[in-house]
Structures are given as structure tokens and as C-alpha cells.
Amino acid sequence: MSSPDLQSKVKQLTSKIEGELSTVVDELERLKLRPVERKMYACIVACYDKAGKSGSKQAIEQCTQQCQMPYQRAGAVTQQEISNFQNRLNRSMGQCQDDVQSMITPDMQNDDKKMKKVEESLVKCLAGAIEKSREGLKPMRQRIESQLN
């Protein structure tokens, strides 16, 4: 059950949500993560300035590790939220596949008209799953931002 027309429709649907997710991630990176990263580098420079020529290597390493923690935490929070979003989307799309697969009977597989209806059901379900996921982009972004502030 994978006609070129079906593949094209599914690709259109998925590329739309991928583009929207990419836009959100890019905005978060530019507006939230870059400032945290910049502070990290400024902090690391301060570690070297503070240590001067007489500070120990261990003191510098310890200081720089402390500087990196907020950025690492911000990256982990962001990655976890994105991963959760993608997992929810994949589960809902998989459920559509399962639902449609359970509709197919042996006599349908050679009937183009019936298979076309099945494909239409799949596209409709996937469109609904993707639309529901789109609604989750804003709350995901808000959760990330709230943890980065």
C-alpha cells in the first residue's frame, strides 16, 4: 500500500511539520541558546583571566566546567523536548498506519478503488495527526523557554 500518489501526499504532510519544527528550533537556537553559549565563552575567558599565569590547570578546568554547565543543561532540555515532540508525532503517525492496516482485507488488495479509499483514509488520519502535532509546537517552545530563563 504505497502508491506514488500516496508517497507524495505523505511527503508533503511530513515536510510541512518538519519545516515548522525546524523554524522553531532555529529561533530557539538564535534567541535563547546563543546568549547562553556566549555567556559560557565569556565565563571561560574569565577563568583564564582569573588564573593568570600562576593558576593551576585543575583550577582552570574546574572553572571552565562550571561555565559550561548552563549551556549543557540548556542543550539537554532543548533536545529532550524536541525528542519528545518527534516521538509523539511518530507514535500518532504509526497509529494511523496500524488503523489503516487493520481495515485491509484480502479481497481489497487487488481492488484499486477500495485501496484508493484506504489510502485516502491514511492521508486523512496522517493530516489530523500532523495538525495535532503542530498545535504542540507552541507549548513545546514555551516549555523550553521557561526552562532557559
Side-chain angles (χ1 to χ4, degrees):
M1 184 182 74
S2 190
S3 72
D5 186 43
L6 173 64
Q7 290 175 357
S8 173
K9 288 177 182 175
V10 170
K11 186 172 176 85
Q12 275 182 308
L13 289 170
T14 56
S15 65
K16 186 176 181 179
I17 189 71
E18 287 169 1
E20 290 180 31
L21 177 60
S22 180
T23 298
V24 169
V25 170
D26 183 57
E27 289 173 359
L28 284 166
E29 192 275 328
R30 283 185 291 108
L31 302 174
K32 295 295 181 178
L33 292 174
R34 280 186 195 174
V36 175
E37 187 175 23
R38 187 180 187 297
K39 285 180 185 175
M40 174 190 73
Y41 286 118
C43 179
I44 290 170
V45 169
C47 291
Y48 281 89
D49 290 346
K50 181 180 170 186
K53 292 183 180 179
S54 61
S56 72
K57 181 179 178 180
Q58 289 141 328
I60 292 173
E61 286 176 2
Q62 192 173 27
C63 181
T64 59
Q65 285 175 354
Q66 289 295 321
C67 294
Q68 293 171 12
M69 289 177 87
Y71 181 71
Q72 289 171 344
R73 185 183 150 293
V77 164
T78 303
Q79 279 305 117
Q80 185 62 50
E81 283 290 341
I82 292 167
S83 179
N84 290 345
F85 175 85
Q86 290 172 324
N87 287 339
R88 284 189 297 274
L89 176 60
N90 288 338
R91 283 194 310 270
S92 62
M93 291 176 72
Q95 186 62 52
C96 290
Q97 278 286 100
D98 292 346
D99 292 348
V100 168
Q101 202 66 39
S102 68
M103 293 170 44
I104 299 174
T105 59
D107 65 307
M108 295 173 84
Q109 293 178 348
N110 295 324
D111 187 333
D112 289 343
K113 193 175 183 179
K114 288 181 180 178
M115 287 307 292
K116 184 78 172 162
K117 280 192 177 267
V118 169
E119 288 180 358
E120 288 170 2
S121 294
L122 176 59
V123 169
K124 185 177 179 180
C125 182
L126 291 173
I130 288 170
E131 184 58 36
K132 187 174 182 180
S133 290
R134 286 180 72 228
E135 294 169 5
L137 284 171
K138 186 175 181 180
M140 177 195 74
R141 180 184 183 139
Q142 291 171 338
R143 284 191 303 275
I144 293 170
E145 289 176 341
S146 74
Q147 292 186 57
L148 298 183
N149 289 335

